[in-house]
Amino acid sequence: MTVNQIPALTLNNGVEMPALGYGVFQTPPDETVTAVEAALATGYRHVDTAAAYGNEREVGEAIRRSGVPRDDIFLETKVWISDFGYDATLHAFDKSAGKLGVEQLDLLILHQALPSRFDLTVDAYRALEKLLADGKVRAIGVSNFMPEHLDRLLDATTVVPAVNQVEVHPYFRQPDVLAADAAHGILTQAWSPIGGITFYRDGEHTSTLQDPTILGIAAAHDATAAQVMLRWHLQQGRSAIPKSVTPSRIAENFDVLGFELSDAELAAIDALDTGVRGGPEPEAITLETFGRDIPEA
């Protein structure tokens, strides 16, 4: 598997980003170095982390140990709501860059919209605009922003986000968010792209990995359910950031270019949407409920 096989997506400011990235959400710090090293050895060149994950330092250590030149890796992290506000967000960059051991980030995004204190959200995004203008980040964006949050942000700021990272998988497509992102020229990046969050959700549906429609499509292509879902994202123009700490699955999730889904197969996967969110409701994210201190570098 060669690095160049994964296509690049061009962001709205001209920066290129590998379409398939490697995520480290809920990866314990003591497992992160080995997992990220395995991903980079497999060929991933896009790594997604976040201040709130508590493993930025280990991601940076893995990158240094890997021997892969820093310039060859697209490094993305997120600012947590506790660090929203202009000066606080500028300092949040320093904390993340310090832990990661880098001087420049490829993509820095706001982790949540924080609707109850959108004034802080706007100030935080203005800080991202400053970091972009100063060359400390190559692109800026948001995460878990709904269409109304995007509208409010665009009305108050100058730079259109390059990326909106949101929950997208066959059981929760968020078509309104996909449409809003497309209308504004924002790339949609899927977290939980193979529906990992559905594995723990109560309800009438099985996990996406056991879905009969997805398994049928996988059998037709001699692929796995996870590979089919990642291929679905890529063919529909999204970025996807699967996570695993198992080397064989890390490699499996990277091997998604040897087949192509038909329009009918893509539509069949689209039709699995239940409209049921797996993650928290964006409006439920408040400083009182979800605030946490992000340690210094």
Side-chain angles (χ1 to χ4, degrees), residues 25-26 166-172 190-202 205-210 214 225-226 229-230 232-233 240-244 249 253 276-279:
F25 174 57
Q26 291 185 332
V166 292
E167 179 185 349
V168 183
H169 48 77
Y171 285 175
F172 191 60
W191 66 258
S192 192
I194 60 176
I197 199 160
T198 70
F199 305 170
Y200 315 105
R201 189 180 72 209
D202 293 332
H205 294 281
T206 60
S207 84
T208 48
L209 290 175
Q210 297 170 334
I214 296 172
M229 287 184 271
L230 293 171
W232 170 70
H233 287 293
I241 44 171
K243 67 145 291 187
S244 175
R249 290 198 186 116
N253 291 342
V276 178
R277 186 187 301 277

Side-chain angles (χ1 to χ4, degrees), residues 224-257:
T224 67
Q227 289 171 329
V228 165
M229 287 184 271
L230 293 171
R231 186 69 197 169
W232 170 70
H233 287 293
L234 297 186
Q235 284 187 223
Q236 293 187 340
R238 288 186 293 279
S239 166
I241 44 171
K243 67 145 291 187
S244 175
V245 296
T246 306
S248 61
R249 290 198 186 116
I250 290 172
E252 173 190 312
N253 291 342
F254 193 74
D255 186 15
V256 294
L257 300 182

Side-chain angles (χ1 to χ4, degrees), residues 12-37:
N12 58 18
N13 66 348
V15 169
E16 290 193 343
M17 177 181 75
L20 191 65
Y22 177 71
V24 294
F25 174 57
Q26 291 185 332
T27 302
D30 61 353
E31 297 180 36
T32 298
V33 174
T34 300
V36 174
E37 279 190 287

